[in-house]
Amino acid sequence: MGLCRRRMRPSLTTKPIKKKHSGFIRRLITSLGAPHEEPMKFEQDFKDAISELPDKEKDKLILRLLKRDIPLAKRMYFELVSTQTAEELRLEMEDRLEKRLRYIANPNFGTGDLMMELRSLSGEISAHVHTTKDKVGEVSLSLLLLNRALQDFIPRIDRASSIKAHKIGIYIVSKCFKIMILIQALHED
């Protein structure tokens, strides 16, 4: 009578995922529109039917689609409404990078924290480029990120374990390689 029965939550380790389920999960993710999925091709009949819709209906559909695609909504807002230029947004992004890198300059943060922050900031740079189409900003912001990280964190990387130092070294080298490719593409333009 005095026993309390706890509800047991199923643990992920209790049942291994069977191969037939992993295929199902892969198909499910693909059907939900995974990022690697190719863009849908539209037939001319479909395009004509959309162009025949009343303007009010088109506006409703566009707004519904933009709610689901936030990066596209930000890009359209920048191109259609925003009074800021790409250079102004680049300066704001530089300030955010500086603040975040100063925040993790705290001695309590390790190389793992640095890696997480570098990846996060790289994602923010990519979002900025997607919004503004600022190729020069992509190069300058990425260079700023790597320069500041290397200036401030070399002693910590030296003290880190060889595995962590190797991981961050590979990340920095690959990032430098990407920046070199971007610079070369800018020279061609």
Side-chain angles (χ1 to χ4, degrees):
M1 283 190 4
L3 295 175
C4 176
R5 295 185 74 183
R6 291 187 330 184
R7 279 195 320 187
M8 299 295 287
R9 286 188 279 167
S11 171
L12 294 176
T13 58
T14 57
K15 291 184 181 178
I17 296 177
K18 296 178 183 173
K19 287 207 175 228
K20 68 177 183 177
H21 293 304
S22 64
F24 168 75
I25 292 170
R26 194 175 319 116
R27 284 191 308 276
L28 178 64
I29 291 171
T30 304
S31 69
L32 292 175
H36 66 277
E37 189 175 303
E38 290 185 30
M40 184 174 175
K41 304 260 193 267
F42 298 114
E43 296 176 11
Q44 190 59 40
D45 295 341
F46 182 65
K47 292 178 184 178
D48 293 340
I50 288 177
S51 62
E52 295 296 322
L53 288 172
D55 288 340
K56 194 172 184 178
E57 187 69 24
K58 282 184 205 176
D59 293 343
K60 284 182 187 178
L61 290 173
I62 288 172
L63 291 174
R64 279 181 59 195
L65 290 172
L66 287 177
K67 284 181 184 177
R68 293 184 182 173
D69 193 350
I70 301 300
L72 179 62
K74 286 181 180 179
R75 185 164 139 198
M76 287 183 70
Y77 181 84
F78 173 74
E79 291 176 1
L80 300 174
V81 179
S82 180
T83 58
Q84 290 182 307
T85 63
E87 290 78 22
E88 291 171 342
L89 289 175
R90 184 186 321 146
L91 290 175
E92 288 178 10
M93 186 68 195
E94 284 178 13
D95 290 341
R96 278 200 309 268
L97 286 174
E98 294 282 344
K99 285 179 187 173
R100 299 254 305 265
L101 287 171
R102 271 193 304 259
Y103 174 72
I104 62 167
N106 183 336
N108 295 330
F109 288 97
T111 54
D113 300 317
L114 174 63
M115 278 294 292
M116 283 187 351
E117 200 64 29
L118 287 177
R119 286 183 177 143
S120 173
L121 290 170
S122 291
E124 288 184 28
I125 291 170
S126 295
H128 165 79
V129 171
H130 181 74
T131 301
T132 61
K133 297 182 182 176
D134 182 17
K135 296 294 182 183
V136 174
E138 182 175 18
V139 172
S140 68
L141 291 170
S142 296
L143 282 172
L144 173 70
L145 177 67
L146 284 182
N147 283 334
R148 282 295 310 272
L150 288 174
Q151 286 172 0
D152 296 345
F153 297 100
I154 287 291
R156 266 191 248 171
I157 294 170
D158 285 341
R159 289 190 308 264
S161 68
S162 60
I163 293 173
K164 287 184 178 181
H166 183 73
K167 267 186 181 179
I168 201 160
I170 288 174
Y171 178 79
I172 289 171
V173 167
S174 65
K175 197 76 174 155
C176 290
F177 184 71
K178 181 182 176 190
I179 292 171
M180 288 174 51
I181 290 171
L182 291 172
I183 290 172
Q184 189 174 11
L186 283 177
H187 282 297
E188 292 171 1
D189 293 340

